[in-house]
């Protein structure tokens, strides 16, 4: 493979240049052809071992990394915190040191603590992909969101993206804002004041207090789940009120640009952030995001494992 990808890890969006992102998206788009074959399997990563370390629940991210690795013929070690020796008091560093002794070539890590994948990358000599750390970042979600929009709209530059929901506690929001802005899109966020981060201006997104304002003329609307598990104390009166003022409906989406996309990283709480009537909204591409998640994760495994091979 002759593609230069000058990174050992994927921990966050910041270090990626526009060119790096373009390489990931083009590689993923090309790899989708493999997924559509009658037998979707290529020998590219035969002999490699990917360790999936999930210290938090996941459906899409965990299974799409597993699928991605297996399509590329890598072996997969799956670790879930529940049922592991963490329950007997083993710490993160000992856990990853012991897993490293089993010979993986790459760690995929999801952890409730922001910075946990960075900590592992500093202490263990194995490439690390951040599969979501606390409310810091979820870079592979942002890359699959970019791929979905790029495929549908043919461009990223100049688009208007609205992100509605729990911006403050959403690692997806943080990575999406950075990634879409890096690729030349304008981002507007909206949510209850208690769910907007104090550093929101630093991320470069415009803040709109009403979702109707954020959605006005938007090419892409991304709804986010309320991350209640990260709140610690009540931050809004009730889900009923949240749905009334910040839930997306057909009426609100009628303000978006013609042909606007409706996206959600999942899991969705229907009736809260999305009205059930949006299940068949014409621009809804939520399952295409999931399909693109497999392709983007294949691309990243390939790019990081091949570049670490080159530097060995
Ligand atoms: N989008 C996302 O991260 O979903 P999971 O939590 O199911 O992995």
């Amino acid at each position: 493979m002759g593609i230069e990808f000058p990174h050992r890890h994927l921990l966050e969006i910041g270090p990626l240049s526009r060119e790096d992102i373009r390489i990931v998206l083009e590689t993923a788009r090309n790899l989708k052809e493999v997924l559509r074959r009658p037998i979707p399997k290529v020998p590219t990563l035969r002999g490699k071992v990917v360790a999936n370390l999930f210290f938090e629940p996941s459906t899409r991210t965990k299974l799409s990394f597993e699928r991605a690795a297996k399509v590329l013929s890598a072996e997969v070690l799956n670790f879930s915190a529940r049922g592991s020796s963490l329950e007997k008091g083993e710490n993160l560093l000992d856990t990853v040191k012991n897993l490293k002794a089993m010979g993986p070539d790459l760690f995929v890590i999801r952890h409730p603590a922001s910075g946990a994948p960075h900590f592992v990358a500093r202490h263990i000599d194995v490439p690390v992909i951040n599969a979501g750390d606390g409310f810091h970042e979820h870079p592979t979600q942002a890359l699959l969101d970019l791929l979905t929009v790029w495929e549908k709209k043919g461009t990223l530059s100049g688009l208007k993206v609205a992100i509605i929901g729990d911006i403050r506690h959403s690692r997806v929001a943080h990575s999406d804002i950075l990634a879409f802005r890096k690729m030349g899109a304008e981002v507007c966020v909206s949510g209850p004041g208690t769910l907007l981060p104090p550093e929101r201006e630093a991320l470069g997104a415009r803040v709109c207090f009403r979702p109707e304002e954020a959605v006005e003329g938007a090419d892409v609307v991304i709804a986010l789940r309320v991350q209640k598990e990260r709140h610690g104390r009540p931050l809004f009166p009730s889900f009923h009120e949240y749905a009334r003022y910040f839930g997306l409906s057909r009426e609100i989406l009628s303000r978006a640009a013609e042909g606007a996309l409706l996206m959600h990283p999942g899991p969705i709480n229907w009736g809260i952030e999305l009205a059930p009537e949006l299940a068949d909204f014409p621009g809804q591409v939520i399952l295409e995001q999931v399909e693109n998640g497999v392709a983007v994760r294949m691309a990243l495994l390939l790019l990081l494992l091949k570049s670490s091979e080159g530097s060995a």
Side-chain angles (χ1 to χ4, degrees):
M1 195 188 65
I3 304 170
E4 283 287 314
F5 192 68
H7 298 275
R8 178 159 170 76
H9 309 285
L10 175 66
L11 299 174
E12 52 198 14
I13 293 294
L16 299 179
S17 66
R18 285 170 69 110
E19 177 61 10
D20 296 333
I21 291 176
R22 194 190 57 76
I23 289 170
V24 174
L25 301 189
E26 284 189 352
T27 306
R29 192 175 59 175
N30 293 337
L31 286 167
K32 284 178 81 168
E33 177 272 319
V34 175
L35 290 170
R36 289 178 181 151
R37 290 182 193 172
I39 300 175
K41 191 112 177 155
V42 288
T44 322
L45 295 183
R46 188 181 288 156
K48 300 286 186 189
V49 179
V50 173
N52 258 341
L53 277 57
F54 280 72
F55 297 83
E56 253 193 0
S58 169
T59 297
R60 283 147 289 270
T61 313
K62 183 176 180 182
L63 292 176
S64 62
F65 267 112
E66 181 168 356
R67 171 87 171 131
K70 287 178 172 171
V71 171
L72 296 170
S73 298
E75 283 180 51
V76 181
L77 293 176
N78 276 316
F79 168 93
S80 296
R82 184 168 291 186
S84 77
S85 288
L86 287 174
E87 292 180 355
K88 294 184 250 172
E90 191 163 35
N91 66 30
L92 172 62
L93 191 54
D94 282 341
T95 301
V96 290
K97 278 182 178 170
N98 279 269
L99 287 165
K100 170 144 192 301
M102 298 178 200
D105 297 285
L106 183 143
F107 282 136
V108 173
I109 301 181
R110 168 169 289 189
H111 200 282
S114 298
H118 306 63
F119 172 80
V120 172
R122 274 200 305 279
H123 288 88
I124 304 284
D125 186 22
V126 172
V128 174
I129 297 179
N130 179 0
D133 63 323
F135 49 81
H136 174 232
E137 282 217 35
H138 192 349
T140 65
Q141 178 71 44
L143 291 167
L144 75 88
D145 288 347
L146 291 181
L147 177 62
T148 307
V149 174
W150 182 48
E151 283 186 335
K152 292 286 175 191
K153 296 287 179 194
T155 184
L156 293 165
S157 177
L159 295 181
K160 183 176 174 204
V161 178
I163 307 180
I164 316 294
D166 185 355
I167 311 297
R168 180 174 196 153
H169 303 95
S170 169
R171 52 199 177 206
V172 175
H174 300 155
S175 290
D176 269 352
I177 293 169
L178 294 168
F180 277 104
R181 289 201 63 245
K182 193 167 277 211
M183 300 312 282
E186 179 197 330
V187 181
C188 186
V189 299
S190 178
T194 49
L195 301 185
L196 293 172
E199 77 279 15
R200 58 191 179 258
E201 285 86 10
L203 290 175
R206 195 159 67 86
V207 178
C208 301
F209 288 96
R210 297 293 305 137
E212 289 85 347
E213 213 186 305
V215 167
E216 192 72 47
D219 302 291
V220 178
V221 180
I222 302 175
L224 299 175
R225 182 178 67 86
V226 174
Q227 312 274 307
K228 207 162 170 41
E229 69 277 19
R230 302 192 205 292
H231 291 183
R233 64 194 162 91
L235 293 176
F236 53 89
S238 68
F239 277 110
H240 178 74
E241 262 188 79
Y242 180 90
R244 179 162 171 206
Y245 292 105
F246 293 94
L248 294 178
S249 60
R250 275 191 185 260
E251 192 190 332
I252 293 180
L253 289 181
S254 69
R255 296 167 177 262
E258 174 119 18
L261 303 179
L262 173 62
M263 301 171 65
H264 192 303
I268 301 170
N269 289 299
W270 292 103
I272 299 177
E273 64 267 23
L274 289 182
E277 66 191 13
L278 292 174
D280 58 3
F281 180 75
Q284 194 255 91
V285 289
I286 295 167
L287 293 181
E288 284 166 75
Q289 288 174 265
V290 177
E291 184 189 355
N292 281 338
V294 178
V296 158
R297 288 158 183 142
M298 284 168 71
L300 290 166
L301 293 177
L302 198 61
L303 292 166
L304 292 176
L305 284 170
K306 289 295 176 185
S307 74
S308 70
E309 217 171 50
S311 64

